[in-house]
Amino acid sequence: MAFILHGVWQNEYGSRMTLDVSETGQIVGEYQSTTGASGTYFLVGHCRPQDPDPQQGQPLVLSIFWRPFDVEAEDDGIHWVSTYCGQLNANGEMTVINTLLTTTPYQAFEPGDYIDNLVFKKSDSVTVLADSTAWRETSQQNDNPINGVWSSDDKTIQLALAVQNQKYGVLAGELSYQGEKIQLIGFTDTYANNNILQSLTLSGYMLTSLQPISLVGRMNSTRDGLFLSRWLANGTNKNNAYFQANSMNWQFVK
């Protein structure tokens, strides 16, 4: 089955992303940015495996690590990740909330979360993914302070994390939440080095509620804490589109 979501999408800034969508709604792809960054970036995500209709859009989440894989990246102070949360609407527009998280100062901008509303439209271009398997390869050396089991203060939510690929920052997770164990995949800044903060972004799918879920946040190495925003994507009709993305703040400790 080929979903409408499968293909090349372009936003108002001219950035393009190529999405490969499986029958179960898993998404892998590449992103080419024209705003503040150059190169091509891996992305992963999840969508509800059902095309949109006038009554309900197709909810989706994406995770991106802003470190290019097609050029030799130097440590230029950019340690960004993003999560996209939104939906593909029946009119063919993809509308998402981009939470861009930075952990170091950049030009005149302080570290923090930068929120933007993005609209993508499908392109007629046919693009083959340049290297859709490289990020899946497991590295031998994956020791990282983010690895381990993190718990909320009341122990009702747990998140097990493990770096899978040091070069590409691939991060796997299992989230125990609302009685379900949710498999997550995404990225963390394995180039954080001596930075106080280390960014991460993860995406998955809640089978009980049929909702794509994503996490974006930072690990504070000095306090051994993990601070995240949890995003849930909702499929809505046009009149209720303001309900398409739901966010909640979480805090974890090991």
Side-chain angles (χ1 to χ4, degrees):
M1 177 179 179
F3 294 107
I4 297 173
L5 196 59
H6 187 97
V8 181
W9 296 83
Q10 183 167 314
N11 66 21
E12 60 268 45
Y13 297 116
S15 299
R16 292 158 60 91
M17 59 182 179
T18 303
L19 305 181
D20 186 358
V21 187
S22 75
E23 290 187 359
T24 59
Q26 292 180 326
I27 301 171
V28 298
E30 296 169 359
Y31 198 105
Q32 293 177 308
S33 176
T34 60
T35 55
S38 60
T40 307
Y41 309 84
F42 286 128
L43 66 83
V44 295
H46 219 295
C47 66
R48 183 180 293 169
Q50 179 181 337
D51 283 333
D53 59 48
Q55 285 70 47
Q56 187 177 54
Q58 182 180 19
L60 64 102
V61 293
L62 298 172
S63 291
I64 306 170
F65 178 25
W66 297 108
R67 188 175 183 89
F69 67 82
D70 60 336
V71 295
E72 191 64 29
E74 299 178 357
D75 188 359
D76 51 8
I78 297 177
H79 297 271
W80 304 348
V81 299
S82 279
T83 191
Y84 288 4
C85 180
Q87 63 181 334
L88 174 60
N89 301 290
N91 65 0
E93 289 186 343
M94 183 196 305
T95 55
V96 295
I97 300 297
N98 171 22
T99 302
L100 171 66
L101 186 143
T102 70
T103 56
T104 55
Y106 177 72
Q107 297 179 354
F109 301 101
E110 292 298 315
D113 298 340
Y114 292 87
I115 313 299
D116 191 14
N117 181 60
L118 298 176
V119 178
F120 288 84
K121 295 183 179 180
K122 198 165 190 180
S123 168
D124 293 332
S125 301
V126 177
T127 302
V128 178
L129 297 179
D131 195 347
S132 60
T133 60
W135 68 272
R136 303 172 190 261
E137 299 172 0
T138 302
S139 303
Q140 295 300 315
Q141 298 295 327
N142 294 313
D143 293 336
N144 193 282
I146 209 167
N147 292 344
V149 179
W150 300 80
S151 301
S152 60
D153 290 338
D154 59 6
K155 308 297 183 183
T156 59
I157 306 172
Q158 286 194 328
L159 177 63
L161 297 175
V163 172
Q164 302 292 299
N165 186 300
Q166 188 75 15
K167 179 179 179 180
Y168 299 115
V170 179
L171 182 67
E174 183 179 79
L175 175 65
S176 300
Y177 177 52
Q178 295 188 352
E180 185 176 352
K181 291 188 181 296
I182 306 158
Q183 301 306 308
L184 305 172
I185 192 71
F187 306 96
T188 187
D189 179 16
T190 48
Y191 300 87
N193 298 325
N194 296 322
N195 293 341
I196 294 175
L197 302 175
Q198 179 175 332
S199 59
L200 70 149
T201 176
L202 292 160
S203 293
Y205 193 68
M206 298 183 65
L207 294 174
T208 53
S209 60
L210 303 180
Q211 284 181 291
I213 180 173
S214 65
L215 306 175
V216 64
R218 55 187 67 77
M219 178 187 67
N220 188 325
S221 59
T222 60
R223 293 177 55 190
D224 200 30
L226 191 62
F227 305 90
L228 301 172
S229 294
R230 187 275 290 139
W231 288 87
L232 288 177
N234 300 306
T236 74
N237 59 34
K238 181 180 179 180
N239 293 332
N240 293 310
Y242 52 89
F243 283 118
Q244 71 175 6
N246 171 265
S247 180
M248 178 182 291
N249 292 327
W250 284 351
Q251 181 174 332
F252 294 86
V253 294
K254 275 188 178 179

PDB file of all heavy atoms in Angstrom, residues 203-218:
ATOM      1  N   SER A 203      10.646   9.312  18.275  1.00  0.00           N
ATOM      2  CA  SER A 203       9.298   9.173  17.727  1.00  0.00           C
ATOM      3  C   SER A 203       8.819   7.733  17.855  1.00  0.00           C
ATOM      4  O   SER A 203       9.622   6.795  17.809  1.00  0.00           O
ATOM      5  CB  SER A 203       9.273   9.581  16.247  1.00  0.00           C
ATOM      6  OG  SER A 203       9.521  10.960  16.095  1.00  0.00           O
ATOM      7  N   GLY A 204       7.506   7.571  17.998  1.00  0.00           N
ATOM      8  CA  GLY A 204       6.922   6.238  18.090  1.00  0.00           C
ATOM      9  C   GLY A 204       5.426   6.284  17.843  1.00  0.00           C
ATOM     10  O   GLY A 204       4.887   7.274  17.335  1.00  0.00           O
ATOM     11  N   TYR A 205       4.732   5.200  18.232  1.00  0.00           N
ATOM     12  CA  TYR A 205       3.302   5.085  17.957  1.00  0.00           C
ATOM     13  C   TYR A 205       2.626   4.364  19.112  1.00  0.00           C
ATOM     14  O   TYR A 205       3.066   3.284  19.524  1.00  0.00           O
ATOM     15  CB  TYR A 205       3.078   4.315  16.658  1.00  0.00           C
ATOM     16  CG  TYR A 205       1.673   4.392  16.121  1.00  0.00           C
ATOM     17  CD1 TYR A 205       1.163   5.591  15.634  1.00  0.00           C
ATOM     18  CD2 TYR A 205       0.852   3.272  16.083  1.00  0.00           C
ATOM     19  CE1 TYR A 205      -0.122   5.673  15.123  1.00  0.00           C
ATOM     20  CE2 TYR A 205      -0.433   3.338  15.566  1.00  0.00           C
ATOM     21  CZ  TYR A 205      -0.917   4.542  15.089  1.00  0.00           C
ATOM     22  OH  TYR A 205      -2.194   4.627  14.582  1.00  0.00           O
ATOM     23  N   MET A 206       1.558   4.973  19.638  1.00  0.00           N
ATOM     24  CA  MET A 206       0.791   4.367  20.715  1.00  0.00           C
ATOM     25  C   MET A 206      -0.326   3.512  20.116  1.00  0.00           C
ATOM     26  O   MET A 206      -1.257   4.041  19.493  1.00  0.00           O
ATOM     27  CB  MET A 206       0.223   5.450  21.627  1.00  0.00           C
ATOM     28  CG  MET A 206       1.279   6.288  22.318  1.00  0.00           C
ATOM     29  SD  MET A 206       0.581   7.505  23.468  1.00  0.00           S
ATOM     30  CE  MET A 206      -0.169   6.435  24.696  1.00  0.00           C
ATOM     31  N   LEU A 207      -0.231   2.210  20.305  1.00  0.00           N
ATOM     32  CA  LEU A 207      -1.197   1.295  19.709  1.00  0.00           C
ATOM     33  C   LEU A 207      -2.558   1.374  20.384  1.00  0.00           C
ATOM     34  O   LEU A 207      -3.592   1.131  19.753  1.00  0.00           O
ATOM     35  CB  LEU A 207      -0.664  -0.134  19.769  1.00  0.00           C
ATOM     36  CG  LEU A 207       0.582  -0.414  18.924  1.00  0.00           C
ATOM     37  CD1 LEU A 207       1.105  -1.816  19.189  1.00  0.00           C
ATOM     38  CD2 LEU A 207       0.281  -0.226  17.442  1.00  0.00           C
ATOM     39  N   THR A 208      -2.583   1.700  21.682  1.00  0.00           N
ATOM     40  CA  THR A 208      -3.860   1.737  22.393  1.00  0.00           C
ATOM     41  C   THR A 208      -4.728   2.906  21.936  1.00  0.00           C
ATOM     42  O   THR A 208      -5.945   2.770  21.794  1.00  0.00           O
ATOM     43  CB  THR A 208      -3.624   1.834  23.911  1.00  0.00           C
ATOM     44  OG1 THR A 208      -2.746   2.944  24.180  1.00  0.00           O
ATOM     45  CG2 THR A 208      -2.986   0.555  24.429  1.00  0.00           C
ATOM     46  N   SER A 209      -4.113   4.060  21.689  1.00  0.00           N
ATOM     47  CA  SER A 209      -4.873   5.245  21.285  1.00  0.00           C
ATOM     48  C   SER A 209      -4.721   5.574  19.804  1.00  0.00           C
ATOM     49  O   SER A 209      -5.324   6.536  19.320  1.00  0.00           O
ATOM     50  CB  SER A 209      -4.425   6.454  22.111  1.00  0.00           C
ATOM     51  OG  SER A 209      -3.047   6.707  21.917  1.00  0.00           O
ATOM     52  N   LEU A 210      -3.894   4.790  19.093  1.00  0.00           N
ATOM     53  CA  LEU A 210      -3.630   5.014  17.668  1.00  0.00           C
ATOM     54  C   LEU A 210      -3.092   6.424  17.411  1.00  0.00           C
ATOM     55  O   LEU A 210      -3.519   7.116  16.485  1.00  0.00           O
ATOM     56  CB  LEU A 210      -4.890   4.767  16.837  1.00  0.00           C
ATOM     57  CG  LEU A 210      -5.540   3.385  16.981  1.00  0.00           C
ATOM     58  CD1 LEU A 210      -6.776   3.281  16.102  1.00  0.00           C
ATOM     59  CD2 LEU A 210      -4.548   2.289  16.656  1.00  0.00           C
ATOM     60  N   GLN A 211      -2.135   6.831  18.259  1.00  0.00           N
ATOM     61  CA  GLN A 211      -1.572   8.172  18.162  1.00  0.00           C
ATOM     62  C   GLN A 211      -0.061   8.133  17.986  1.00  0.00           C
ATOM     63  O   GLN A 211       0.639   7.450  18.741  1.00  0.00           O
ATOM     64  CB  GLN A 211      -1.871   8.973  19.429  1.00  0.00           C
ATOM     65  CG  GLN A 211      -3.276   9.494  19.550  1.00  0.00           C
ATOM     66  CD  GLN A 211      -3.448  10.284  20.824  1.00  0.00           C
ATOM     67  OE1 GLN A 211      -3.421   9.731  21.912  1.00  0.00           O
ATOM     68  NE2 GLN A 211      -3.627  11.587  20.688  1.00  0.00           N
ATOM     69  N   PRO A 212       0.475   8.861  17.015  1.00  0.00           N
ATOM     70  CA  PRO A 212       1.919   9.074  16.958  1.00  0.00           C
ATOM     71  C   PRO A 212       2.349   9.909  18.169  1.00  0.00           C
ATOM     72  O   PRO A 212       1.655  10.849  18.572  1.00  0.00           O
ATOM     73  CB  PRO A 212       2.123   9.845  15.648  1.00  0.00           C
ATOM     74  CG  PRO A 212       0.892   9.570  14.838  1.00  0.00           C
ATOM     75  CD  PRO A 212      -0.208   9.451  15.841  1.00  0.00           C
ATOM     76  N   ILE A 213       3.494   9.556  18.734  1.00  0.00           N
ATOM     77  CA  ILE A 213       4.016  10.239  19.908  1.00  0.00           C
ATOM     78  C   ILE A 213       5.477  10.595  19.671  1.00  0.00           C
ATOM     79  O   ILE A 213       6.213   9.822  19.051  1.00  0.00           O
ATOM     80  CB  ILE A 213       3.865   9.368  21.181  1.00  0.00           C
ATOM     81  CG1 ILE A 213       4.409  10.097  22.415  1.00  0.00           C
ATOM     82  CG2 ILE A 213       4.525   7.999  21.017  1.00  0.00           C
ATOM     83  CD1 ILE A 213       4.123   9.360  23.721  1.00  0.00           C
ATOM     84  N   SER A 214       5.897  11.768  20.124  1.00  0.00           N
ATOM     85  CA  SER A 214       7.303  12.137  20.011  1.00  0.00           C
ATOM     86  C   SER A 214       7.769  12.807  21.297  1.00  0.00           C
ATOM     87  O   SER A 214       6.963  13.387  22.042  1.00  0.00           O
ATOM     88  CB  SER A 214       7.552  13.055  18.809  1.00  0.00           C
ATOM     89  OG  SER A 214       6.901  14.296  18.982  1.00  0.00           O
ATOM     90  N   LEU A 215       9.063  12.716  21.539  1.00  0.00           N
ATOM     91  CA  LEU A 215       9.707  13.346  22.684  1.00  0.00           C
ATOM     92  C   LEU A 215      10.848  14.207  22.174  1.00  0.00           C
ATOM     93  O   LEU A 215      11.566  13.820  21.258  1.00  0.00           O
ATOM     94  CB  LEU A 215      10.259  12.304  23.656  1.00  0.00           C
ATOM     95  CG  LEU A 215       9.301  11.233  24.179  1.00  0.00           C
ATOM     96  CD1 LEU A 215      10.066  10.221  25.038  1.00  0.00           C
ATOM     97  CD2 LEU A 215       8.166  11.844  24.971  1.00  0.00           C
ATOM     98  N   VAL A 216      11.027  15.372  22.768  1.00  0.00           N
ATOM     99  CA  VAL A 216      12.166  16.213  22.440  1.00  0.00           C
ATOM    100  C   VAL A 216      12.617  16.884  23.735  1.00  0.00           C
ATOM    101  O   VAL A 216      11.790  17.288  24.553  1.00  0.00           O
ATOM    102  CB  VAL A 216      11.823  17.253  21.349  1.00  0.00           C
ATOM    103  CG1 VAL A 216      10.768  18.235  21.827  1.00  0.00           C
ATOM    104  CG2 VAL A 216      13.065  17.982  20.876  1.00  0.00           C
ATOM    105  N   GLY A 217      13.934  16.968  23.932  1.00  0.00           N
ATOM    106  CA  GLY A 217      14.403  17.586  25.165  1.00  0.00           C
ATOM    107  C   GLY A 217      15.899  17.518  25.314  1.00  0.00           C
ATOM    108  O   GLY A 217      16.645  17.387  24.339  1.00  0.00           O
ATOM    109  N   ARG A 218      16.322  17.562  26.573  1.00  0.00           N
ATOM    110  CA  ARG A 218      17.753  17.678  26.877  1.00  0.00           C
ATOM    111  C   ARG A 218      18.087  16.907  28.139  1.00  0.00           C
ATOM    112  O   ARG A 218      17.256  16.809  29.056  1.00  0.00           O
ATOM    113  CB  ARG A 218      18.121  19.153  27.047  1.00  0.00           C
ATOM    114  CG  ARG A 218      17.272  19.847  28.073  1.00  0.00           C
ATOM    115  CD  ARG A 218      17.472  21.332  28.170  1.00  0.00           C
ATOM    116  NE  ARG A 218      17.055  22.088  27.016  1.00  0.00           N
ATOM    117  CZ  ARG A 218      15.798  22.393  26.697  1.00  0.00           C
ATOM    118  NH1 ARG A 218      14.809  21.928  27.448  1.00  0.00           N
ATOM    119  NH2 ARG A 218      15.505  23.127  25.654  1.00  0.00           N
TER     120      ARG A 218
END
